[in-house]
Amino acid sequence: MKDLIINLEVIRITAKQLHYSESGEAFYANHLLMDRIAEHLSDFVDEIIEASILADTGNPPILADLYSEIAYKTPKTPSKSDLKDLILTTIYLIDDLAKQDRFQGDFDLLGRISNNLRSSLGLLNRVLAGSES
């Protein structure tokens, strides 16, 4: 679950970076989309830590270690394509986690996260398709 936490935080930070970097004709729509993508990810991370990690081990993760990896993996000047790739990678990670017996109790949580990311990916794909025409 550590990798999932890291990926979700990288997506959140990348979306917020794009949120603050938006400009041009579609500024407002893209600005709001990036907010929508980032919106629930912190809550999901909190739920993973509380309902999965603390429930399983009783020990909190070492946040300094997590944030070090998050900083390393976060693109410094991200593009929407970078964000798309991050979301896809995380969806595949969730699919792999959901197949493991150990995470069957977390199946609902993983499903909610996956559905959120898939919805975000659909919206992001529309924006990317519009910028290619």
Side-chain angles (χ1 to χ4, degrees):
M1 290 295 234
K2 174 185 159 192
D3 289 336
L4 180 54
I5 292 169
I6 291 167
N7 283 18
L8 292 174
E9 284 294 321
V10 171
I11 291 168
R12 185 185 65 76
I13 292 166
T14 301
K16 289 308 280 187
Q17 184 65 47
L18 290 168
H19 166 89
Y20 296 123
S21 301
E22 283 298 331
S23 63
E25 240 178 81
F27 159 76
Y28 191 66
N30 288 335
H31 183 80
L32 292 178
L33 173 60
M34 294 306 125
D35 254 356
R36 187 254 178 247
I37 291 171
E39 184 177 11
H40 297 290
L41 299 183
S42 290
D43 292 335
F44 287 138
V45 167
D46 190 57
E47 195 169 343
I48 292 167
I49 292 170
E50 291 175 355
S52 184
I53 295 174
L54 288 174
D56 285 347
T57 68
N59 298 315
I62 299 170
L63 293 180
D65 291 345
L66 288 175
Y67 288 126
S68 176
E69 287 190 54
I70 291 163
Y72 177 75
K73 291 183 176 185
T74 301
K76 303 303 178 213
T77 54
S79 68
K80 290 180 185 76
S81 293
D82 292 330
L83 182 58
K84 176 183 175 178
D85 292 343
L86 289 166
I87 292 172
L88 276 172
T89 299
T90 305
I91 290 170
Y92 297 143
L93 173 61
I94 291 169
D95 290 346
D96 288 343
L97 288 171
K99 292 175 189 171
Q100 298 175 23
D101 285 340
R102 178 172 174 223
F103 295 109
Q104 288 304 311
D106 300 317
F107 194 72
D108 178 59
L109 173 58
L110 294 175
R112 287 186 291 119
I113 297 168
S114 181
N115 286 341
N116 179 280
L117 292 176
R118 288 172 192 275
S119 176
S120 295
L121 181 62
L123 296 170
L124 186 57
N125 278 335
R126 297 290 299 188
V127 168
L128 289 169
S131 66
E132 293 171 0
S133 49

